[in-house]
Amino acid sequence: MTVTGTEHLDGIESGFEHLRTEVRAFLSHESATGGFVPDTDSWMTGFDPGFSARVAGRGWLGMTIPTEYGGHGRSPLERFVVSEEMLAHGAPVAAHWIADRQMAPSILANGSEEQKRRYLPGIASGRSFFAIGMSEPDAGSDLAAVRTRAVDNGDSWTITGTKVWTTGAHLAHAMVVLARTDGQPGDRHSGLSQFVVDLPHPDIEIRPLRSIDGQAHFNEVVFHGAQVPAAALLGKRGNGWAQVMGELAFERSGPERYLSTMPLLRAWAAHLAATGATPGQRQTLGTLTARAWALRRMSLRVAAELTAGRKPDVLAAMVKDVGSTFEGDLVEAVRASSALVARRGGADSLARMLAHSVLHTPVFTLRGGTNEILRGIVARGLGVR
């Protein structure tokens, strides 16, 4: 695992201050003029195609996609700056998040020339939204236990099976599906392949799954013998497991793994500044801020590794593990350290934000791989037996 030094990271950051200032000014204007209402977990629940289009118009989507495919040819570190500010401000980025975060890099790394030219310009322009077809019923966190099967017909594939907890599938224009093309489920990592499947599809049923807050961003997706063209195969047949592992490095390494609840911390800090803080509240605020800063440095290192062309799988797993734990700790600390009563309705925006965060806390350490799975990845990566 290669990482860059602290001084080097500081030097990198200083080169992007103009970009950060520009993004902050945009977000402040959007918030002040009613473009969005800040909220926690906005990358999961804040689906606003209009906002995504305005972000794309600024050149802040598809930043790392080469210009020949409609992108902007910028670095992962520049994308990190934009992502960090969007999350910290609680902006509604869910519409484009999955496509821009991991589907674009995956298609760039594994896709055919036809797939790159078909999907990447839409991602960069904020017009093409993606879902991820990985998790399945009864498989838990055992991704290799997928039972969805794709049968090769020569000029097409027939996909049969079920995916679950599929975020945004009901709104997506396409989804990348992991399916078994060869062998049996007992073969584990071999015989798996990925497909880019356009949505909607007559033989794909999308059923909403309502979370405890009554919203429906998750779905169960059932493939009733859905036929897709041969060109839908993403990458090499049988190489699906390796491709997914590379894709998950992008999913787990981003700042959303510790910034989902940052808008709550910022709102609480502003509240304390306006009303006065007790010594205990000041200590809690300081502790949370210090933990957030340490996680930020870890996440920035991951972005630096990606910029250098390396694959920081282990470091990304560390960030996701520690970061998702922090997100839940932050919510509980704010709740326990204040007289706030979490309410989903009413005029108090801070109480509403706390209620939203409380209801979403259970999922933080589950999505993107449970913390137990991530610790196994870290242990193997560090050679621990």
Side-chain angles (χ1 to χ4, degrees):
M1 180 177 63
T2 305
V3 294
T4 53
T6 301
E7 298 81 2
H8 182 52
L9 290 179
D10 290 336
I12 288 173
E13 283 229 84
S14 65
F16 300 131
E17 282 309 307
H18 176 74
L19 174 61
R20 189 178 298 279
T21 299
E22 188 180 355
V23 177
R24 286 179 177 175
F26 166 78
L27 292 170
S28 295
H29 174 76
E30 284 281 323
S31 179
T33 56
F36 71 92
V37 176
D39 207 350
T40 55
D41 219 18
S42 60
W43 67 271
M44 178 70 74
T45 64
F47 193 95
D48 186 342
F51 180 82
S52 294
R54 294 193 294 277
V55 172
R58 294 285 184 132
W60 295 334
L61 289 187
M63 293 180 73
T64 60
I65 296 175
T67 55
E68 63 185 293
Y69 300 119
H72 303 282
R74 301 178 78 167
S75 72
L77 279 164
E78 290 172 291
R79 183 185 178 277
F80 178 91
V81 169
V82 174
S83 298
E84 188 176 45
E85 292 299 329
M86 295 283 173
L87 295 166
H89 283 78
V93 295
H96 66 258
W97 196 259
I98 289 173
D100 188 60
R101 176 186 68 184
Q102 68 196 93
M103 295 295 80
S106 182
I107 292 172
L108 268 174
N110 306 299
S112 65
E113 188 65 20
E114 176 188 350
Q115 288 170 333
K116 293 175 184 177
R117 297 198 177 277
R118 179 174 182 178
Y119 295 109
L120 294 180
I123 293 174
S125 63
R127 294 181 291 104
S128 184
F129 309 141
F130 272 71
I132 308 168
M134 289 188 190
S135 300
E136 295 195 359
D138 305 319
S141 291
D142 188 7
L143 181 58
V146 296
R147 291 178 294 187
T148 296
R149 182 169 287 275
V151 176
D152 187 357
N153 305 316
D155 60 350
S156 66
W157 294 86
T158 301
I159 303 177
T160 304
T162 302
K163 298 294 179 178
V164 75
W165 311 124
T166 313
T167 304
H170 59 306
L171 301 166
H173 301 105
M175 68 183 296
V176 174
V177 180
L178 180 65
R180 181 163 293 283
T181 51
D182 302 281
Q184 301 299 322
D187 295 330
R188 305 293 290 168
H189 301 159
S190 62
L192 298 174
S193 304
Q194 286 186 297
F195 298 86
V196 185
V197 179
D198 293 330
L199 296 174
H201 189 291
D203 298 317
I204 298 177
E205 183 181 1
I206 299 176
R207 304 168 179 168
L209 297 173
R210 295 203 174 273
S211 52
I212 194 171
D213 61 359
Q215 297 184 45
H217 12 263
F218 298 121
N219 299 273
E220 180 182 49
V221 182
V222 185
F223 294 80
H224 298 287
Q227 286 207 3
V228 299
L233 178 66
L234 178 64
K236 297 179 181 178
R237 177 173 179 167
N239 196 47
W241 183 259
Q243 293 174 192
V244 163
M245 289 301 100
E247 180 184 316
L248 285 173
F250 288 96
E251 178 176 343
R252 293 167 175 164
S253 63
E256 69 270 29
R257 296 311 179 183
Y258 70 94
L259 286 180
S260 293
T261 52
M262 184 57 62
L264 175 64
L265 182 61
R266 296 182 68 197
W268 186 52
H271 172 77
L272 294 180
T275 61
T278 66
Q281 288 173 330
R282 285 197 296 270
Q283 181 177 6
T284 298
L285 180 60
T287 299
L288 291 172
T289 302
R291 288 179 64 184
W293 185 256
L295 280 161
R296 181 178 184 276
R297 301 297 285 182
M298 292 176 66
S299 190
L300 187 59
R301 284 176 181 266
V302 174
E305 290 289 289
L306 292 171
T307 297
R310 293 185 281 266
K311 295 183 178 181
D313 299 6
V314 175
L315 185 56
M318 287 182 182
V319 173
K320 200 279 180 185
D321 176 17
V322 182
S324 58
T325 300
F326 167 73
E327 288 181 318
D329 290 349
L330 189 159
V331 176
E332 176 58 23
V334 172
R335 187 200 63 77
S337 300
S338 66
L340 287 171
V341 177
R343 296 187 184 279
R344 295 180 60 197
D348 189 338
S349 60
L350 182 56
R352 291 199 310 271
M353 195 179 295
L354 178 59
H356 187 245
S357 302
V358 168
L359 292 175
H360 280 245
T361 294
V363 79
F364 293 157
T365 58
L366 296 176
R367 61 191 181 194
T370 65
N371 285 27
E372 291 77 10
I373 292 293
L374 294 169
R375 289 164 192 169
I377 293 172
V378 173
R380 287 190 297 273
L382 297 178
V384 177
R385 294 173 180 261

